[in-house]
Amino acid sequence: MKLVKSLLLGSAAGLIAVSGAQAADLPVKAKAVEYVKICSLYGAGFYYMPGTDTCIKLGGYLRADAILGGAGDYNFQQGANAGSNNRLTNYYASRARFDFNVDTRTATEYGVVRTYADMVFTWDSQSVTGSNPSAFSTGSAALGLYHAFIQFAGFTFGRTVSIFDAPWQSYPAGGPDTIPGGSNHTNGVNQVAYTADFGQGITASFALQDETTATNGQSNLWNVSSGTAAQFVTGVYGANAWGGTRSPDIIGQVRVDQAWGLAQLSVAAHDLHSAYYGATESSGHPSDKWGWAVQGSLAIKNIPTGAGDVINLQAVYTDGATRYNFQSLFPQSFFMFSGSSNGAYQSTGFAGLSDGVFGTGTGIDTVKTWGVRGGYTHNWSPNWASAVYGGYAQLKYGNTGKGLICTNFAAIALPGATCNPDFNFAVVGVNTVWTPVKNLAFTADLSWSRLDQKYSGSIASPGIATAAKPAAVYELKDQNSVTMLLRAQRNF
C-alpha cells in the first residue's frame, strides 16, 4: 500500500513539473513598440516625443573660422593687442564653434506652447598682452546661452533677441560683428515680451528687457572725476559708475512683414541710474536720467536683379542709449596705433563710448548718436551669392560732458593739441558665399573699418603696458583696419 501511494505521489509531482515547463514555453504577447512619428504641424524636422503630444526639433551648426587681421572673431583691429600694431599683434586668429538648439512645441486649447534653447560652445585662439614677460589669454572653451525662452499666448518669457532689433541683427548682408548703425542682441537679452498679431503680416510688440550687463544695452556711464592719463589713452575717460537696477528698458515695436519685404519702427527707453560721486553714500549722487532710442528698418525682396536678392536698410538715433547704435558686440572703449607723419614716435586714435557723463556735483549729461547701415545680397546661382554692406555712425558728447573729459585731457596734451572726444566710425565690406551642397557653406568676407576721431595735435602718453607702448609723444590721427574672415559652416 505504501508503495502504491509513493508511485501516485511521484506521478503527480512529475505531471505538475511537466505542465509547469510546458506553461513556461507558451508564447507571451510582446509589448508594443513605440515608433518615433513625424510631426508635420510646425514644418520639417519635427518629431513627436514618444508617448506625448509634444513635437521636438534638434538643430544647429558647426563652424570653423580663420581671421586675417582683426581682433578675435570678427572684429576690427583695436585694443590689446590687435590695435597695438606691433610684435604682440596676431596676424591671424581662429575659432571653432558648435551651436546646438532644441525647439519643442505643444498644441493646447490656448494655442501653441513653445520652448526654445540655443547653446553655443566656442574655442578661440589665444592673444598676447605685455612683454618681458608676455601674458597669454587662455585659448579655452567657452559656453554661451543665446536663447532660452518660453512662448505662450503671444507672450515670450526668457532670453532671446530684442524686439528693437532688425531681423538681420547687425548683419544686413554679412560682415563683421562691429558694423554700427543699429542695435544687435544676437547673443540674447533677458526679457518679458508680448506680441499682438493683427493679420496680413502686421504685428505690434511690447517688451521689458534686462539690459544691465556689460554686453547688452549699457554702454559706459563715466564718472570723469576719477579719470587718469593712463586710462585716457585707452579710451577710458573715468570710472564706469552704474548703480543697481531700477527699471528695465521699455521697448515698443510695430512691424509689417509681407511678400514684398519688411518695414519696422522700434523705440526704447533706457534708465541711467548711477552710483555715488565717491566711494560712500555721503558723497552724494546725480539724479536718474532717461535715455531713449528710435530705429527704422526696411527690407526689400523680390527685386529685379534676381530671385532671392534682398536689400536691407536701417537708421537709428539715440540720446543716452548709445548701445542701440554702437551695438552689443562693438567695443565700448578702444585704441588703435599706426605710423606717424609729424615726427612723433607713432600715431594713435582712441575712443570712449558712453550713455552719459558726470563729475562730482554735476548731473548726468547724455551722449547723442546717430547711424545708418545697409546691405545688398545677390544670388548668382543656387550655389553662389555675393554681397556688399556698410555702416556709418557718429557719437557726440554734450557740452558739459565734453568739458569734463577735456579737463582730464589737459594732463597729456602738448601745445597745439585740441580736445574733442566726439568721433565717427565707418565700415564697408564685400563677401562671397559658395554652397556646394545643401547646408554646407564656405564664406570669404573682407571689410575695412575707419575711426574718424576728432582729437588733433600730439600728446605725451604715459604708455600702455599691455600693448608694449612706451611713454612717448604720439600724434593724434585717424586709424584704419582691414580684416578678412574665412569660414566653413555645416548646418544641421
Side-chain angles (χ1 to χ4, degrees):
M1 191 68 184
K2 288 183 178 179
L3 179 61
V4 172
K5 185 184 289 186
S6 297
L7 289 171
L8 290 173
L9 291 173
S11 299
L15 290 171
I16 292 171
V18 169
S19 64
Q22 289 176 339
D25 291 338
L26 291 174
V28 178
K29 185 177 181 180
K31 186 178 180 181
V33 177
E34 293 185 350
Y35 294 97
V36 176
K37 297 185 298 182
I38 293 174
C39 174
S40 59
L41 297 174
Y42 311 110
F46 281 92
Y47 295 86
Y48 282 103
M49 298 175 66
T52 75
D53 59 355
T54 296
C55 299
I56 187 169
K57 179 180 180 180
L58 306 179
Y61 63 80
L62 197 147
R63 173 187 294 172
D65 289 353
I67 307 93
L68 309 180
D73 189 291
Y74 172 27
N75 205 321
F76 62 97
Q77 294 164 314
Q78 56 83 25
N81 256 306
S84 306
N85 196 19
N86 60 17
R87 293 184 64 83
L88 303 185
T89 301
N90 287 338
Y91 281 9
Y92 71 91
S94 64
R95 164 175 286 183
R97 168 168 284 179
F98 173 66
D99 177 282
F100 179 68
N101 57 67
V102 182
D103 192 345
T104 72
R105 306 188 195 190
T106 307
T108 74
E109 60 269 34
Y110 299 100
V112 176
V113 177
R114 182 191 185 197
T115 68
Y116 184 82
D118 185 24
M119 297 151 283
V120 177
F121 306 85
T122 304
W123 188 293
D124 286 313
S125 58
Q126 68 180 14
S127 59
V128 181
T129 60
S131 178
N132 194 26
S134 296
F136 299 88
S137 69
T138 55
S140 59
L143 172 64
L145 182 63
Y146 286 1
H147 303 268
F149 63 82
I150 301 168
Q151 286 182 326
F152 174 69
F155 286 92
T156 299
F157 307 92
R159 183 174 185 84
T160 188
V161 298
S162 171
I163 65 169
F164 189 92
D165 299 345
W168 50 87
Q169 298 293 311
S170 63
Y171 314 102
D177 294 327
T178 48
I179 305 176
S183 68
N184 173 24
H185 293 77
T186 188
N187 53 2
V189 58
N190 293 351
Q191 62 186 276
V192 176
Y194 177 76
T195 298
D197 190 339
F198 302 103
Q200 304 297 316
I202 302 171
T203 59
S205 301
F206 173 82
L208 301 176
Q209 294 182 177
D210 181 9
E211 298 279 6
T212 53
T213 68
T215 57
N216 277 326
Q218 288 187 164
S219 183
N220 297 297
L221 181 58
W222 300 126
N223 183 347
V224 182
S225 59
S226 62
T228 67
Q231 293 175 326
F232 202 103
V233 295
T234 66
V236 176
Y237 295 151
N240 196 6
W242 284 98
T245 58
R246 289 299 180 271
S247 172
D249 281 20
I250 304 169
I251 315 293
Q253 176 233 89
V254 177
R255 178 188 292 185
V256 179
D257 192 351
Q258 298 176 342
W260 60 266
L262 172 145
Q264 177 178 306
L265 179 66
S266 309
V267 294
H270 177 59
D271 181 33
L272 279 64
H273 176 78
S274 76
Y276 298 98
Y277 290 125
T280 65
E281 299 169 351
S282 60
S283 62
H285 60 83
S287 299
D288 283 20
K289 202 164 188 177
W290 280 88
W292 57 276
V294 59
Q295 176 176 268
S297 306
L298 177 67
I300 305 173
K301 303 176 184 177
N302 301 319
I303 55 180
T305 56
D309 290 8
V310 61
I311 297 174
N312 293 324
L313 302 168
Q314 65 193 108
V316 64
Y317 182 87
T318 75
D319 183 352
T322 295
R323 243 180 174 166
Y324 287 99
N325 183 358
F326 295 91
Q327 36 81 11
S328 63
L329 299 177
F330 196 96
Q332 298 299 290
S333 59
F334 62 92
F335 58 84
M336 304 169 71
F337 286 88
S338 63
S340 174
S341 59
N342 70 354
Y345 175 72
Q346 289 177 358
S347 70
T348 185
F350 47 82
L353 290 75
S354 178
D355 287 338
V357 178
F358 67 92
T360 301
T362 76
I364 297 173
D365 190 23
T366 57
V367 176
K368 298 175 176 59
T369 80
W370 64 267
V372 294
R373 67 180 171 213
Y376 164 63
T377 300
H378 173 62
N379 292 273
W380 302 99
S381 72
N383 304 102
W384 289 92
S386 296
V388 295
Y389 58 83
Y392 181 87
Q394 179 186 86
L395 181 145
K396 297 193 72 172
Y397 285 88
N399 291 334
T400 300
K402 192 174 296 184
L404 292 167
I405 292 170
C406 289
T407 298
N408 292 343
F409 176 81
I412 58 174
L414 293 177
T418 59
C419 174
N420 186 349
D422 301 345
F423 69 90
N424 305 327
F425 196 89
V427 177
V428 294
V430 297
N431 60 59
T432 294
V433 181
W434 176 44
T435 308
V437 296
K438 185 179 180 180
N439 294 326
L440 176 65
F442 298 91
T443 301
D445 192 310
L446 179 67
S447 67
W448 171 74
S449 302
R450 179 173 177 83
L451 169 63
D452 175 16
Q453 53 94 53
K454 302 305 179 184
Y455 296 107
S456 65
S458 298
I459 58 171
S461 171
I464 304 173
T466 57
K469 296 298 180 182
V473 173
Y474 291 83
E475 178 187 4
L476 295 166
K477 187 179 178 181
D478 298 343
Q479 303 292 325
N480 300 286
S481 170
V482 176
T483 307
M484 172 170 277
L485 171 72
L486 303 175
R487 169 174 290 167
Q489 180 166 318
R490 170 75 162 94
N491 298 328
F492 61 88

